[in-house]
Amino acid sequence: MGRLLADRTVRWLILGQLCAILGDTMLWLVAGIWVKELTGSNSAAAVTFFLVIVGTLCGPVGGMTADRYRRRPLLMGLYLGTAAVVASLLLVQDSGQIWLIYVVMLLYGLSYSFVDPAQAAFLRVLVPEDRLADANALTQTVKQGLRLISPIAGAGLYAALGAHAVVAVNIALMLAAVAFLTLVRHQESKPERSGDSWLREMTEGVRHLARTVVLRQLAIASALTMVAMGLAETVGLAVVDDGLGRAPSFLGVLLAGQGAGAIAAGLTAARIGRRIGEGRLVALGMTAFAAGALLQTVPSVAAVAAGMVLCGASLPWIAVGLTTVGLRHTAPELVGRVYSGFNLMMTLPQLLAMACGAALIAVVNFKVLLVVMAAVVLTAAGYLFTRKEQRWTAPAAPVDTAPEPVREADPV
């Protein structure tokens, strides 16, 4: 990673992303706390997080936009627009304006339907192909580190100075992200239009996933895994309360261990991926998550803590492997749509599983849910481990983006 950070262009891009991620994670948490304080309702607070996720479902449109325009000015415009939307939260004074928080959080999620694929596409043209794994690992390490720090910082700032101070910091961080992007020196040519209809152009990323064997296999396994991870959102408090007999606040201690595992995994992801292949790195991450879920069925703080560390480690390994393989097997002009296609295929199962998990946890023992989660993810991992296409690590040949029919002889 040191060689990568020595590249000034990449360094400015990563610093810009760091500012944006820090602002995101602070605001998401504080928005929920703010609504809870204004209304006294946990359900009302939960709506803020749900609306952010709903906003991200517009990924296919965001991916098409990322592939149609130059990525640096697009990102700068998105950050400026997001800062302007967030500024409206300074008008919120009492519970009668909760609707404004909801609208802003929905638009915030919507903005990241465009930001995330644009960042992935820009990274694809900035970083040499043999350094993509390092760049993805660095990004994941930064994200996981900030997810440890920023919720505490955001909650502390909220307690000390109030919600408007957090809003002001978020705006400042978005403007800082724009400033760093102005320092990125890269002459990006304007993407050419394909001439296809907007619907065909928008769905080309999903069709590319379907006809590219190695990506199709990863998409299938990842969708299964996100079902389990969606269920995981509902069992954390049950593990702490019913399993360990601790106060709900103890979950914060365990989540710190999960964050530490994620940082360690981010630092090792590129090295492991080069050794075993990025596809099998994804399978390794899935295996770690399954083992972590099983450890959480043991009524021991040490076992549950170890399980949380493994679950934390699983996330960067899966994310780095998926992103690296996806970028290597996708032409630059298609990266935004493929990235958003992957995101959509993983977000929808996760949302459905979260909804089912909220109902199941009331009638099914949390240990049963954890065992089911582990079984589902181990199935996905075993599927990838046995696919020969996931074993090689050499960069793929240039991709021909012209649509081709999927032959039935292709392995799945």
Side-chain angles (χ1 to χ4, degrees), residues 10 17 61 80 106 111 189 216-217 251 265 281 314-315 330 335 341:
V10 176
Q17 289 184 356
V61 179
L80 288 171
L106 177 64
S111 75
S189 58
R216 184 167 72 240
Q217 293 169 350
L251 181 60
L281 176 65
S314 72
L315 301 176
T330 304
V335 166

Side-chain angles (χ1 to χ4, degrees), residues 58-65 67-68 194 196-207 334 337-338 340-341:
C58 292
V61 179
M64 182 176 67
T65 304
D67 289 336
R68 278 188 170 187
S194 66
D196 292 333
S197 67
W198 70 269
L199 181 60
R200 183 172 179 80
E201 191 173 346
M202 185 173 64
T203 57
E204 177 60 19
V206 174
R207 286 185 285 114
L334 194 56
R337 282 166 286 176
V338 170
S340 63

Side-chain angles (χ1 to χ4, degrees), residues 8-188:
R8 185 176 301 177
T9 297
V10 176
R11 189 164 66 243
W12 294 137
L13 177 63
I14 296 296
L15 284 172
Q17 289 184 356
L18 184 151
C19 290
I21 294 166
L22 180 58
D24 294 344
T25 46
M26 287 177 65
L27 185 64
W28 291 351
L29 174 65
V30 167
I33 297 173
W34 196 3
V35 170
K36 165 69 175 175
E37 187 174 274
L38 290 173
T39 65
S41 169
N42 288 323
S43 297
V47 171
T48 61
F49 306 116
F50 179 75
L51 288 172
V52 172
I53 297 174
V54 169
T56 64
L57 296 179
C58 292
V61 179
M64 182 176 67
T65 304
D67 289 336
R68 278 188 170 187
Y69 300 97
R70 292 186 179 95
R71 282 66 180 245
R72 188 175 76 119
L74 176 60
L75 283 168
M76 293 170 68
L78 288 167
Y79 287 145
L80 288 171
T82 302
V85 168
V86 171
S88 65
L89 290 176
L90 296 173
L91 301 174
V92 176
Q93 301 295 331
D94 53 47
S95 59
Q97 295 160 311
I98 293 299
W99 65 270
L100 183 55
I101 299 178
Y102 287 160
V103 170
V104 169
M105 297 314 289
L106 177 64
L107 292 175
Y108 207 91
L110 179 63
S111 75
Y112 273 82
S113 289
F114 293 80
V115 168
D116 286 346
Q119 286 179 340
F122 198 29
L123 192 69
R124 175 69 175 84
V125 298
L126 280 182
V127 178
E129 193 164 331
D130 63 342
R131 307 305 295 175
L132 284 174
D134 290 307
N136 290 322
L138 177 61
T139 301
Q140 284 299 315
T141 303
V142 168
K143 282 184 178 180
Q144 300 304 331
L146 288 178
R147 283 173 181 161
L148 273 179
I149 299 167
S150 58
I152 298 171
L157 185 60
Y158 177 85
L161 300 176
H164 289 167
V166 179
V167 171
V169 169
N170 179 275
I171 294 169
L173 287 167
M174 287 296 169
L175 295 178
V178 173
F180 281 122
L181 281 173
T182 63
L183 299 173
V184 174
R185 297 288 177 250
H186 177 75
Q187 296 298 322
E188 186 181 5

